[in-house]
Amino acid sequence: MSVVRQVRVHGPGDVRVDEIPAPRPGPRDAVIRVAACGICGTDLSFIRLGGSRGPSDTPLCLGHEIAGVVDWIGSEVGTVAVGERVVVHPGNDELGRIGTGAPEGGLTSALLVREAARDGRLFRVPDGMPLDVAALAEPLAVGMQAVNRAEVVRGDRVAVFGCGPIGLFALATLLDRGIEDTVAIDLNPRRRALALALGARAALDPAACDVFDELARLHGTAPFLYGPTPATDAYIEASGAAQVITDVLQRGRAGGRLSVVALHYQPIPTSFLLVMMKQFSIHGSMEYPRRFADALELLERRDLSPVITHRLPLARFAEALGVLRGTADCGKVLVTMGDEA
Ligand SMILES: [Zn+2]
């Protein structure tokens, strides 16, 4: 019996590279030889929790930021051909989400994509785009949706809290849309440098300045009953720091918007009196844009490869996790399978 390698979570803090039986696809399925798969904060949360919502009897297969090569297709799959390079949409239907609860995960050498015949499961990677860059499509789609949810329009002044990959991809989306008055905020100098390299107007260290005073200096001020506020129109919260939400509602402008894309597991006390008085809008964001292909098209227009700071083979998965768990001194951490990325 042939086996494939698959990263699985067995319980809280217990993640392993397992050998499991090779997929047995049906006529509407495909098998992808994964070349690169990103790991992210969601994966760390699942490992900590011991599953997608806590421990369960079935190990959780990880990996949802997936690019690879079509290795096999069923007789009813007409959308792609064997040998084509693709990005896998993790799915958001009755099949579950690959890597976040479905029976499949992208941190594997051979990924079964059920119902590959359906529209919107597999996206062809443009010629000339390396597969490791293509693996950024999923987190880029997350960052893009955070911008969409903030309802940002041209001329808006925007602050992005957190310059991990999602914050950086939100930033890249803003710049791609001609919204240039963007300020990035992160504690880590490497991440601030990445934000500046992508084109942020400024990158602030919240440990070294009062971020809202700086925003007022950069973006100007807007009037409010209790005194002027920074004129920043929209905030994207990609840091996961509870204080950011409290501060944005406290010190943001009247009519401002906040899009929350980071994971906040604990409740956060906020002043809803201020939310009311400022007519402040708060939007959650965790899905993708309606057109997932928007992410691949952006990757074709702009070089986001500098966001990839670490590439490690599956055999060194524990090390890759260590980088992500460490001091946040990284951009996107990719796990590579085979030598095709
Ligand atoms: Zn992710």
Side-chain angles (χ1 to χ4, degrees), residues 38-43 64-65 138-139 142 166 332:
I39 52 176
C40 75
T42 310
D43 297 312
H64 57 272
E65 307 180 357
E138 194 275 351
V142 173
I166 300 301
K332 178 44 72 184

